[in-house]
Amino acid sequence: GNSVTQMEGPVTLSEEAFLTINCTYTATGYPSLFWYVQYPGEGLQLLLKATKADDKGSNKGFEATYRKETTSFHLEKGSVQVSDSAVYFCALDLRSEKLVFGKGTKLTVNP
Amino acid sequence: EAQVTQNPRYLITVTGKKLTVTCSQNMNHEYMSWYRQDPGLGLRQIYYSMNVEVTDKGDVPEGYKVSRKEKRNFPLILESPSPNQTSLYFCASSLASTLGTDTQYFGPGTRLTVL
C-alpha cells in the first residue's frame, strides 16, 4: 500500500544549524508530496509541496526536492530559528480520497 | 478570512455520553475530512466526504459517524464515546482531493478526553 516513512524524532538543534528531516515514500503511482508543519497548540498548515519528479518546493527558507529515483522528499533548511520549533509531517496524495501522513518529526531549536 | 473552524476546542466527557464535534469551512470546498492524531501514530483518517451527502470511511472509522447535509459543515459524532477515543481531532477541507495537488486546510483541533 501507500505509505510515508520519516525520520524518528525528536530532533534538537541550535539556532542557525542546518536541518534535514528525511522522508521516503512508497506509492503505486506518481503522488504529489507535501510537508505540513504543526506549531504548538495549532492545526497543521502546508509548508511546501511538489507535484512531479524533480520539482522543488520551497517556503520560509525550507526546501524539498521530489526525487523519484530514491522515492524521497527530504526537508532542508540552511539556518533554523527558534520559531521553527514545531512538528513536521511528510505526506503524499495519490489522487485518492486522503493524504497519507508520516508519523511526524518534532523539531526543537534552542537559542 | 478563509478558515476551518472546530468546536469545541477542548472537551472532557464520560464513557457513553453522546457528543458532536462541529466543523465548518468558509472556502466552498467540496472535500472535507476528519483525522485523529495520537502520539507515535501520526494522523489517521476517520471519515471523509467528497461532497454533500457523500461520505466514506477512512482508516479508523469504528465508533464514529459523520454527516454532510451542507457543503460547509461536516460534524463528527461519537454515539457512545470510549476512553480509546481520547485523542486530538482535526477537521480538514480542500477543493477536490482527486486532482492530487490541492492543499488541505486544517482546523485548530479539538482535544477530547473520555473518562
Side-chain angles (χ1 to χ4, degrees), chain B residues 6 8 35 49-51 53-55 58 81 87 90 97 99 107 111:
Chain B
Q6 296 178 226
Y35 297 89
S49 169
M50 297 296 285
N51 214 324
E53 302 292 2
V54 179
T55 64
S87 187
F90 289 101
S97 174
L99 293 179
R111 184 165 293 282

Side-chain angles (χ1 to χ4, degrees), chain B residues 64-92:
Chain B
Y64 305 95
K65 287 175 56 178
V66 293
S67 69
R68 188 90 182 273
K69 293 185 171 59
E70 306 166 278
K71 198 171 188 179
R72 62 183 293 127
N73 296 322
F74 190 46
L76 179 69
I77 303 155
L78 284 70
E79 294 270 4
S80 182
S82 62
N84 65 10
Q85 293 177 298
T86 293
S87 187
L88 180 58
Y89 292 86
F90 289 101
C91 181

Side-chain angles (χ1 to χ4, degrees), chain A residues 30-53:
Chain A
Y30 302 99
S32 294
L33 300 173
F34 303 81
W35 277 100
Y36 280 81
V37 60
Q38 183 180 28
Y39 297 105
E42 298 183 12
L44 281 74
Q45 55 186 274
L46 179 70
L47 180 60
L48 54 85
K49 67 180 182 182
T51 59
K52 60 183 187 298

